[in-house]
Amino acid sequence: MSLDQIFVFLKQVVVGWMPLQCQPLVSAILSVAAIIGVFASLFAITTVLERKGLGRIQNRYGPNRVGPYGILQPAADGIKALIKEDLVPRAADKFVHFIAPLVLVAPVFLALAVVPVGRNMVAIDMDGGVLFFFAVGAATELAVFMAGWSSRNKYSLLGAMRAIAQMISYEVPLILSAVTVVMMVGSLSTVKIVEAQAGYTGWLPDWYVFTPWGFAGFILFMIAAMAESNRSPFDLPEGESEIIAGYYIEYSGFKFALFFLGEYIGMFAVSGLGITLFLGGWHAPFEFLTWVPSYIWFFGKLLALIAGFIWVRGTLPRLRMDQLMNFAWKFMLPMALINLFAAGVWHFMPPGVVRWAVCAGLVFGPYALLGRTLFENKNITKRVYRYAE
Amino acid sequence: MSVTFAIIAVLTVASAVAVMTLRNLVHCALSLMLTFVGLAALYLQLNAQFVGFAQILVYVGAVAILIVFAILLTRGVEPPEQKIFSSSSMGGLAVAVAVFAVLAATIGSSSVLHAVLQPSHEVSVRQIGEQLMTRYVLPLEVVGLLLTAALIGAVIIAMRDEEGK
C-alpha cells in the first residue's frame, strides 16, 4: 500500500468494520467530514497567510501577537466570532436574515464534492460533475440577495444588487471558458477530465494550460473566478469605502464568520475546478516527481493559486462599476467565444507545429485587436494630480 | 411511492402554494425558487441528471434572480394593501379547474399510461448532446433564434432614446 492511497485505504478499512447496511452511509459521512475538516482548516490557514501576505505587500507586520508569528490568530478570531453578540436589526426579515448565511455555506461545500483532490479521492464521481458544480454555484447568488434584502438597509441592498450583477456577468465567461475543456475531453465528469490530462510530452505534462486555447481559457477562468468570489479588484459588492460592507453589513458574530467562510470556501472550490480543468488536477508537473502523493500536488497547486489571489488583492485597486461591466461584456465574453472557436479548430487539426501556430494566432490576434480597440476609445492620458494650494 | 418522493412532492407543492398566498412579493419569489429546487430534485430522483442540474442552473440561477430584480426595480418592497384574492378570483378558479380537467382527461386517456415502459438505462450528457446536434438540431436552432430575437428586442426597448432627449 502506497502513501498515495493511504486515505482511500483508511476509509475502506473503517467502512469495512461497519455492518453491511450502513456502509454507504458511513462512506458518505467520512467523505463529507474529510471535505469539511480539510477545507475549513485550510480556510483558517489562508486567513492568517493572507493577512501576513497583505501586510508584507503593504509594508507592515500583519498579525503577530497570538502564538509564534501570529499563526494562532484564526483561533482567536474564531473565539471572538463565537462570543460576540448576534445583532439582528429590528426591521430585518428575521427568518430570511437567519437562513441567508446557511444558504451561502451549504452549496459551496457541495461544490467541493465533485473536485478530485487526489487519485481515487473524489466524494462523488458523477456524469455531470462540471454541470453540478455550476448549478450549486448558482445558489450563492440567491444567498447574497437574501442577505442584502432581509437586512433592510440601503447599503446592504445596494451591495447585493452589485454582487448579483457582477456574479451573473462573470458567470458567462467562467462557464464558456470551462466549456472548452469539456469539448476537448468529451465528458462533464471531473474524474475523466483529470484522466485526460495524464502523461507527458517531452518534459512538459499534458495539461491543457500548455495549449493556446487552454492558456487563454485558464487566464479567463481565473479572472472570472476572482470576480465570482468577490475578491479584490472585483470587491465592489463589499466596497468598504463606498457602501461600508455591502450585503453583510448587518451581520455580526458567527453569521458574519459564516459569510467569510463561504467566500473563502467558494474561492477554494472554484480554484479547485480551475486546477481540475486546466492544471492537470492531481497529476505531478514532472515525470520524475510522480512518486509524490497525488493529494500533495493538488493542495500545492491550490495554495499556489491562493497565493496568486492574495498577490492580486494586494496589488490592484478596485474597479469602477462601468469598468467592471465593460470588461465582462466587451472583453471577457468575446474572448471566451473566440477561445471556444480556437479549441474547436485545435480539435480538428492534425497535431504539429502548424496547429499550434494557427490556434495561437486565433487566440492572441483577437486579444491584441480587442485590447487595442477598447483602449483607443478610452482617450487615456497621463493623470494630472491637483493638490490643495 | 418512496419516502424521498413524498418529501420532495410535499416540499414542492407547499412552496408553490406559498408563492400564491404570501403577502410579500420577495417572499413569493424566494418560495418560487424553493419550488424550482423541488422540481430539480424530482428530475434527479428520476435519474435525469442533466435536466435536474440544468433546471437549477437556469431557473434558480437566472430566472429567479431576474424575477427578484424585476420586483425590486419596478415597485417598493412594502407588501401591498389590497386583499390576496382579487375580485375575479372565482372566475380564475373556474378557468383553472377547466384547464386541469381537460389536461387530466387527455393524460388519463393517452396510450402512454398503458404502454409497458422499458427500464431505461441512465442517459448520459453525451447522448443528449449528440441527439441535440443531430436529430433535434432544427428545434434547437429555432429556440436559439427566438432567444436572440427576445434579447435584441429587450435591448432595443431599454436603449436610450437619442432623439427624445
Side-chain angles (χ1 to χ4, degrees), chain B residues 9-149:
Chain B
V10 167
L11 190 81
T12 313
V13 173
S15 58
V17 170
V19 173
M20 293 179 288
T21 49
L22 285 178
R23 303 294 312 243
N24 195 323
L25 267 182
V26 176
H27 286 164
C28 297
L30 292 176
S31 343
L32 187 64
M33 291 184 198
L34 200 60
T35 317
F36 289 150
V37 172
L39 278 181
L42 277 180
Y43 293 142
L44 289 180
Q45 209 206 0
L46 293 172
N47 254 343
Q49 231 176 50
F50 182 79
V51 187
F53 294 146
Q55 163 89 12
I56 294 181
L57 191 64
V58 173
Y59 281 88
V60 179
V63 171
I65 296 289
L66 201 70
I67 292 172
V68 161
F69 257 73
I71 292 172
L72 287 187
L73 293 179
T74 49
R75 58 172 79 200
V77 286
E78 299 303 322
E81 290 301 313
Q82 76 260 33
K83 282 184 293 181
I84 299 174
F85 297 107
S86 69
S87 53
S88 58
S89 61
M90 289 324 274
L93 191 68
V95 172
V97 167
V99 171
F100 181 79
V102 169
L103 281 178
T106 319
I107 293 171
S109 64
S110 95
S111 57
V112 177
L113 280 186
H114 307 291
V116 182
L117 286 178
Q118 302 292 330
S120 65
H121 55 95
E122 202 172 325
V123 179
S124 73
V125 179
R126 173 180 273 271
Q127 282 166 296
I128 295 176
E130 273 164 5
Q131 286 293 311
L132 277 181
M133 278 297 136
T134 51
R135 193 171 157 199
Y136 299 105
V137 70
L138 189 66
L140 186 75
E141 295 286 332
V142 170
V143 168
L145 195 68
L146 194 68
L147 286 176
T148 314

Side-chain angles (χ1 to χ4, degrees), chain A residues 224-359:
Chain A
M226 212 174 273
E228 279 286 297
S229 47
N230 293 336
R231 299 260 320 171
S232 186
F234 299 103
D235 62 344
L236 287 101
E238 289 157 42
E240 296 91 338
S241 50
E242 304 157 18
I243 49 172
I244 26 184
Y247 49 89
Y248 47 64
I249 184 171
E250 296 289 5
Y251 281 91
S252 59
F254 202 66
K255 287 185 196 157
F256 175 76
L258 278 182
F259 271 107
F260 209 56
L261 174 78
E263 207 158 277
Y264 274 84
I265 302 290
M267 183 174 90
F268 299 154
V270 78
S271 308
L273 188 70
I275 292 168
T276 305
L277 291 175
F278 297 103
L279 296 181
W282 41 261
H283 286 299
F286 299 108
E287 203 159 11
F288 62 89
L289 285 176
T290 39
W291 56 272
V292 178
S294 53
Y295 44 86
I296 290 188
W297 286 120
F298 178 84
F299 283 103
K301 289 173 194 174
L302 188 60
L303 284 173
L305 284 185
I306 290 167
F309 273 115
I310 295 173
W311 188 4
V312 170
R313 179 176 170 185
T315 314
L316 293 177
R318 186 182 303 141
L319 290 173
R320 235 173 31 221
M321 199 67 195
D322 60 322
Q323 292 172 333
L324 181 90
M325 288 298 150
N326 280 344
F327 187 62
W329 296 105
K330 292 187 186 165
F331 182 77
M332 298 278 285
L333 185 61
M335 276 310 293
L337 288 173
I338 290 164
N339 196 33
L340 211 58
F341 178 68
V345 172
W346 177 273
H347 185 66
F348 287 111
M349 277 180 78
V353 186
V354 184
R355 179 168 82 158
W356 247 94
V358 169
C359 287

Side-chain angles (χ1 to χ4, degrees), chain A residues 94-320:
Chain A
K94 300 276 183 320
F95 180 67
V96 181
H97 191 266
F98 176 74
I99 59 168
L102 305 178
V103 177
L104 181 77
V105 170
V108 291
F109 273 113
L110 271 181
L112 282 171
V114 289
V115 177
V117 297
R119 191 178 280 117
N120 303 330
M121 285 164 77
V122 60
I124 332 162
D125 172 21
M126 57 171 89
D127 182 41
V130 178
L131 193 67
F132 172 81
F133 186 96
F134 289 122
V136 294
T140 56
E141 288 158 23
L142 180 60
V144 165
F145 167 76
M146 285 163 73
W149 175 79
S150 67
S151 301
R152 284 293 166 96
N153 180 315
K154 275 178 207 149
Y155 294 111
S156 55
L157 191 58
L158 274 177
M161 298 295 252
R162 278 187 180 192
I164 294 169
Q166 174 176 327
M167 282 174 168
I168 289 184
S169 307
Y170 280 87
E171 204 167 317
V172 181
L174 186 79
I175 294 179
L176 281 180
S177 54
V179 163
T180 53
V181 175
V182 174
M183 260 165 58
M184 218 44 80
V185 180
S187 167
L188 280 165
S189 153
T190 46
V191 174
K192 288 222 180 70
I193 289 172
V194 173
E195 272 168 15
Q197 298 178 73
Y200 301 86
T201 321
W203 51 273
L204 270 185
D206 288 344
W207 300 350
Y208 288 134
V209 73
F210 296 120
T211 55
W213 58 269
F215 180 73
F218 178 64
I219 304 279
L220 288 171
F221 186 88
M222 286 325 283
I223 294 174
M226 212 174 273
E228 279 286 297
S229 47
N230 293 336
R231 299 260 320 171
S232 186
F234 299 103
D235 62 344
L236 287 101
E238 289 157 42
E240 296 91 338
S241 50
E242 304 157 18
I243 49 172
I244 26 184
Y247 49 89
Y248 47 64
I249 184 171
E250 296 289 5
Y251 281 91
S252 59
F254 202 66
K255 287 185 196 157
F256 175 76
L258 278 182
F259 271 107
F260 209 56
L261 174 78
E263 207 158 277
Y264 274 84
I265 302 290
M267 183 174 90
F268 299 154
V270 78
S271 308
L273 188 70
I275 292 168
T276 305
L277 291 175
F278 297 103
L279 296 181
W282 41 261
H283 286 299
F286 299 108
E287 203 159 11
F288 62 89
L289 285 176
T290 39
W291 56 272
V292 178
S294 53
Y295 44 86
I296 290 188
W297 286 120
F298 178 84
F299 283 103
K301 289 173 194 174
L302 188 60
L303 284 173
L305 284 185
I306 290 167
F309 273 115
I310 295 173
W311 188 4
V312 170
R313 179 176 170 185
T315 314
L316 293 177
R318 186 182 303 141
L319 290 173
R320 235 173 31 221

